[in-house]
Amino acid sequence: MRKKCPLRGHKIALLMKDTMKKSLLIVESPTKARTLNRYLGKEFIVKASKGHVKDLPENKLGVDIEHDFRPEYRIIRGKEKIVRELREAAKKAETVYLGPDPDREGEAIAWHVAEEISRNGDRKPENVYRVLFYELTHSGIEQALKNPGHLNRSLYEAQQARRILDRLVGYMISPLLWQKIKRGLSAGRVQSVALRLICEREREIHRFEPREYWTVEATFKKKGESALINAKLQKVNGKKTNLNSREDANKVIEAVKKAKRFIVSSIERKRQRKNPPAPFITSTLQQDASRKLRFSPKKTMTLAQQLYEGVSLPDEGMVGLITYMRTDSTRLSEESIKAARKFISQKWGQDFLPSKPRQFKVKAAAQDAHEAIRPTDVFRTPEAVKPHLTPDQFALYELIWKRFVACQMKQASIARTGIDIIPIDAEITTVFRATGSVVEFPGFMILYEEAGDENGEPDSAVIPSVKEEEILTMISIEGKQHFTQPPPRFTEASLIKELEQNGVGRPSTYATILSTIQDRKYVVLEDRTLRPTELGFVVNDVLTKHFPEIINVSFTADMERKLDEVERGNYSFVVLLHEFYRHFKPMLEAAQKNMENFRTSGVPSGICCPECSTELTIRWGQNGDPFLACPNCRFTSNYKRNEKGEIELLQPQEVNETCPKCGKPMIVKHGRFGPFLACSGYPDCKTTKPLGLGIPCPAPDCSGEIVERRSRRGKVFYGCSRYPNCSVVFNQKPVSQSCPQCGYPIMLMKKTKSRGEQLVCANKECKYSMPLRES
């Protein structure tokens, strides 16, 4: 039950007119605070917590398992000053409004802020309100402040349960991985399931055996016309085509060639109506942005957050352009639908407007408190705001705007035609089919097509007008060889779809999951597909062996369903944690005793050392790259896996350099510190050198070359090969490119959060820099 607020019913500009003290509004983001400040004016003090202010401790579990998993929250290091400022501001305010994002994480921020500002009786709980901003517009802000409510305990407990579950898995399994495989690894309740899906798909690809098959295609035309009809063989002797070799295809081709004439045996015409897609939810936005814009989920969510929190527009100031972007509901407000229909009518006319507004079915498990992701004002078109957005912000806003408008437009009408062509007097009976389609009325497709449809319909050819029993002439016929294809690797978009369909994780967590498994080097992105690394395979195999139930799709999905029930107030989060730990504890104890120690023994490779026949093991260098090493002799080698996943040794790479001691060729080898040069005469000659970058040392009168080096702690740096006679050193990777400003012969690659990848001049006295893509 909501508590009556003294501000209810007043316009924003008059909310504080009759009160002695100002009200305090606390949100989590400085950008969001600036946007709200513009609307609220001097009557409100708006402060930002800058994210979470409290969390579990970094250096210990922070969960009291014996006392119903009681969490030990602490103020995050570096946030003490912010918390003090919020307390002081709350003391001076008549009323406090907590306005972090309207989701589980936002509720946790609001709860922890409320605890801190109410500590020692500084603030009465009855004067603390929770406000939910679904859009940062005048009407959205006014609506939120007119209808404040209490903190939502169920929502907070759902977030607590998820945080504690993740802490139990991460804090208890990750140290095992450090001990047994490699330092710096991590496990996660959901991220490990995502890794398992990727690894299992890769092994499916390794096991796949391609099968040869053939298709037969023929070209026909009507008498006296030049237009061609392309058709594919569908049936042979009444059965579906099944040609497994060139010989099978040639038999059919030769028999068809003997036919004296061909006729149209049947014509099938259908009219298909294609409905517009639903407005975006978090997962579909990430998928479409990945396919259409090639944005990573993390980038998509960062840009969406910027559009939600507000951008500066002329004569308007900071304006939120989209509604809240973490949602799994396709619900739309009546006001937004009316606005969209008005826009469609004005822009394209009544022909493109359906007779009734479109409503989209909301999934049973969806959190329907939020709307779908949509523009806050449909009349604020992408072109109108383009000058005030970055190119990436514009691309995402345009995608969201078009999807929303399209969802309220008429269906597309597509006419599909299929004709069957048969030979007369042939040795065998065959049926060739030609298909085509024509868009009779584009409807919503005039504005928006779903990702994957950009190349048009697969059978979009226009078929010349023909009649049944009409005689055709065959112009050509040929067989084409094909091979069955393995299942495709996951893309970021298809993995999100897979996780969502299986109920694993929440749409709001997918971007973080995908970033984490790539940051940990469990997975790499190659040609926009996700491929597990050697490290990813080993971590996955260890986890699935020792924690089969925890790293399980159905078990994780069941946990997510129970978290949703906790959020609805239908399930105890303490019961959920006990249920989980009852499964988890025995597996953890067994793993601590029985997990293989690959860190000391290496991972068996299944191939023998070419020098002593001992089985080689896979190890990881300090740069993270895997290599093969013999536990019996000093043989090491780089390697690759073939299409079947089998390990193949790579031959040592020779360089145009001879050993300074014995004169034999130098070769590139790989060790725990990465690649280096070694004498090919090993073990008789043990000369080694750092691997050069091919960049001459810039020091005057120095004949050295810049080489990659490592400090005692494994940190990479770059210096002159003539060290200690030459002390030139760089912390960033050098590039052989002259500075356009001062002419210094070397530029450095530098990556920053705010400016991305940059090339900066290596001359310390020159401050020149430029984006890497412009180099």
Side-chain angles (χ1 to χ4, degrees), residues 415-488:
R416 299 189 184 278
T417 304
I419 67 171
D420 287 348
I421 303 167
I422 62 172
I424 303 298
D425 301 327
E427 294 178 357
I428 57 176
T429 60
T430 57
V431 178
F432 288 84
R433 169 156 284 215
T435 57
S437 65
V438 175
V439 177
E440 293 183 325
F441 176 70
F444 76 93
M445 291 170 61
I446 198 171
L447 179 66
Y448 181 87
E449 290 188 70
E450 287 187 89
D453 293 345
E454 293 90 341
N455 296 324
E457 298 292 321
D459 54 351
S460 57
V462 177
I463 299 177
S465 177
V466 294
K467 299 176 183 177
E468 287 193 18
E469 305 298 324
E470 188 165 357
I471 296 175
L472 303 176
T473 301
M474 187 173 75
I475 304 301
S476 65
I477 185 170
E478 64 174 337
K480 291 187 176 181
Q481 185 185 40
H482 308 273
F483 291 92
T484 53
Q485 295 298 307

Side-chain angles (χ1 to χ4, degrees), residues 312-314 316 321 377-389 394 397 401:
S312 181
L313 300 179
E316 294 188 81
L321 294 183
D377 183 353
V378 71
F379 287 90
R380 197 176 279 124
T381 63
E383 289 303 321
V385 298
K386 185 175 183 179
H388 317 293
L389 302 179
F394 169 75
Y397 180 68
W401 186 91

Side-chain angles (χ1 to χ4, degrees), residues 359 676 754:
Q359 300 288 350
F676 63 95
S754 59

